[in-house]
Amino acid sequence: MQNLGSTANMSDVQEATNQLLHVNLHENQRDTHVTESVPRSESEHLRVTIGATVPTGFEQAAADEVREKLKSSCKISKDRGKIYFDISVESLAQVHLLRSVDNLFVVVQELKDYQFKETKEKVLKDFEELAGKLPWSDPLKVWKINTSFKKKKTKRKKLNQNLSKEKIDNGRDKREERDVKKELSNNSLDSHILDYYEKPAIKEEISTLVGDVLASCKNETEESLKEDTDPEVLKFRVTCNRAGEKHCFSSNEAARDFGGAVQDHFKWKADMTNFDVEVLLNIHDNEVIVGIALTEESLHRRNITHFGPTTLRSTLAYGMLRLCSPQPSDIIVDPMCGTGAIPIEGATEWSNCFHIAGDNNPLAVNRAANNISSLLTRSQIKEGKLSWGLPIDAIQWDICNLPLRTGSVDIIVTDMPFGKRMGSKKRNWNLYPACLWEMGRICKPGTGRAALLTQDKKCFTKALSGMEHVWRKVHTVWVNIGGLHAAVYLLNRTPLAFVHPSGQDKEELLSAKND
Amino acid sequence: MKLLTHNLLSSHVRGVGPRGFPLRLQATEVRVIPVEFNPDFVARMIPKVEWAALLEAADHLRLAEVPKGPIQGYEQDETFLRKMHHVLLEVEVVEGTLQCPESGRVFPITRGIPNMLLNEEETET
């Protein structure tokens, strides 16, 4: 599996990281001696524990990705949807490139087997005292480095939004001359591609991913450091997540009292909405973990610039694709792609496979095509390959009648209509068997597999029960989609070759399954 | 639409079955968009390609230098692999049509996207 662009990204951000290791930290810690400058060698070997939230059910997939890309082993928390791993600070950039994680935080301290006192007053008092005893120093350094990444990203995003909307001409670019930016402004083919898919069948504002990716892989030097007004007093908030039956306090109370102590300790200003530092207090039964957030908005919307009504999180799309273990040259199809979240994630992470995004809705297919055209790998941008394509195509088709050769597809990954947010449950009774049939036909016997997400588990199970000669269920992952309890079913295509029935036979077979 | 995709597409008009392959390709607008060359990908794709269909499509697009079939030792032959890479992934049909060889039904390709939807009467169910 190719890891696109991460090395390119690393060297860019490495430089930024190195520069920032020399910047002073403006804290007023009561107990800790404020250092004038951070010795370079000391900070380079700084190791921290990072916590990551991942779609529940895909903790193992995330752990695998971390091991692959960061060479770190993970601890999977009992608190569902969280994994923990150690890294050296230099790897922070790569952590942000993980595709399976939604949010990241740096662990300040993990307190296993926390002894909660019997009364609420005593428990809250303990939290207050805890604030001053925690090893904040290293995690705050990490937070600081991390904040500089984000600042660059926001500025770039705004700039490139403007760039893409306007007509791109040569003299416009006032910034320092860099090859990549020059390419973006000069490359008429690239602007043609942006225009090309821009004719709104959909009247949406187009903010391309190009800006996003440009931002995250480009090295800002003087500019960001100049504008990096580092205030003496930081603004912060405390977010408390509490799970467990034996607690005699609420998450709000804990956040409030812990927060009060944090404020006293650092002399920071509390601000619930416009904060610099988000302190996390995660309590799960007897486990208390204090952390500092490294991500604001979740990473999971990153690929999609054009949203549809039910766009899938790309972290979930990644997990589903990974579940199928894509092999080089596999043909991977999403026959109900919506805005294309799954094939786009596929084309980014598994560019040694070929991806096809299909949907019957012209709006959806157009959105998918727009998202595809916005998509460029980081390495493409780094190397100035702004007008390059990816191994992915979009087609408008009907899932019940796919225009694909029998047995030509290796992997099918799709988000099936839930019925609650799109479609209807009644329709699913007819749709699901027809889907499984067609998917069974196009999928390669013996080696083919499918990962299908649905909330309508009952309907799916029934539809599957009539198709044992074609599909064999090998694994189920229980997931949470915006509060709905859904499942991802991993199916293997049996070795049985598909025989084309006559039109009448097929109708009979399909209606028989509905009884 | 890339030629690799065309190689996978087959007509699904009622009653046509496997005789719906390959779709006859016509293009009024074509462009070439470079794609990262991955020799391993191309080499593994070669055995999966339906050659006659590929050659026919390439012919309709008037592409030059299209290999007529896998050559001896193609897995290591970079020149061969690069040519195949170009044909399969870098040539995009922007505007054109796909025609079912059996029924004659024409499917449009607009802005790179083939529209393969059928009417009620044309579908199998």
Side-chain angles (χ1 to χ4, degrees), chain B residues 86-106:
Chain B
H86 177 76
V87 171
L88 289 169
L89 295 178
E90 297 187 326
V91 179
E92 296 215 3
V93 177
V94 176
E95 302 286 328
T97 58
L98 294 163
Q99 185 177 38
C100 172
E102 180 78 3
S103 68
R105 172 48 154 106
V106 173

Side-chain angles (χ1 to χ4, degrees), chain B:
Chain B
M1 183 200 72
K2 300 175 199 284
L3 288 187
L4 178 50
T5 302
H6 169 265
N7 209 254
L8 299 165
L9 291 174
S10 178
S11 171
H12 48 314
V13 170
R14 180 201 283 260
V16 154
R19 296 183 307 280
F21 178 82
L23 293 161
R24 198 154 296 137
L25 175 63
Q26 293 287 352
T28 52
E29 190 185 331
V30 174
R31 63 215 294 211
V32 173
I33 298 184
V35 173
E36 204 91 44
F37 173 60
N38 184 331
D40 185 45
F41 171 85
V42 184
R44 287 171 195 267
M45 201 52 87
I46 300 297
K48 304 184 191 185
V49 168
E50 289 286 336
W51 281 91
L54 181 67
L55 292 176
E56 192 186 304
D59 192 48
H60 281 140
L61 298 184
R62 289 192 281 279
L63 297 181
E65 295 222 45
V66 181
K68 296 283 180 266
I71 59 174
Q72 186 79 285
Y74 69 82
E75 295 97 326
Q76 281 79 42
D77 188 330
E78 191 178 311
T79 316
F80 173 84
L81 291 176
R82 279 192 181 270
K83 284 185 188 167
M84 290 308 298
H85 166 80
H86 177 76
V87 171
L88 289 169
L89 295 178
E90 297 187 326
V91 179
E92 296 215 3
V93 177
V94 176
E95 302 286 328
T97 58
L98 294 163
Q99 185 177 38
C100 172
E102 180 78 3
S103 68
R105 172 48 154 106
V106 173
F107 302 95
I109 302 172
T110 316
R111 287 156 43 172
I113 304 171
N115 182 350
M116 308 299 296
L117 290 177
L118 293 168
N119 313 324
E120 292 277 314
E121 312 87 60
E122 293 170 304
T123 55
E124 298 237 60
T125 51

Side-chain angles (χ1 to χ4, degrees), chain A residues 137-161:
Chain A
S137 173
D138 285 353
L140 279 169
K141 284 179 197 158
V142 175
W143 168 83
K144 178 101 189 144
I145 293 167
N146 190 72
T147 307
S148 67
F149 294 172
K150 286 198 300 192
K151 276 197 176 139
K152 294 181 217 168
K153 194 171 176 173
T154 330
K155 272 213 302 274
R156 284 282 183 171
K157 190 171 182 175
K158 287 195 180 120
L159 180 85
N160 282 291
Q161 272 176 3

Side-chain angles (χ1 to χ4, degrees), chain A residues 445-458:
Chain A
T447 57
R449 52 257 190 237
L452 309 174
L453 169 67
T454 179
Q455 195 250 338
D456 202 343
K457 305 180 280 287
K458 193 169 168 195

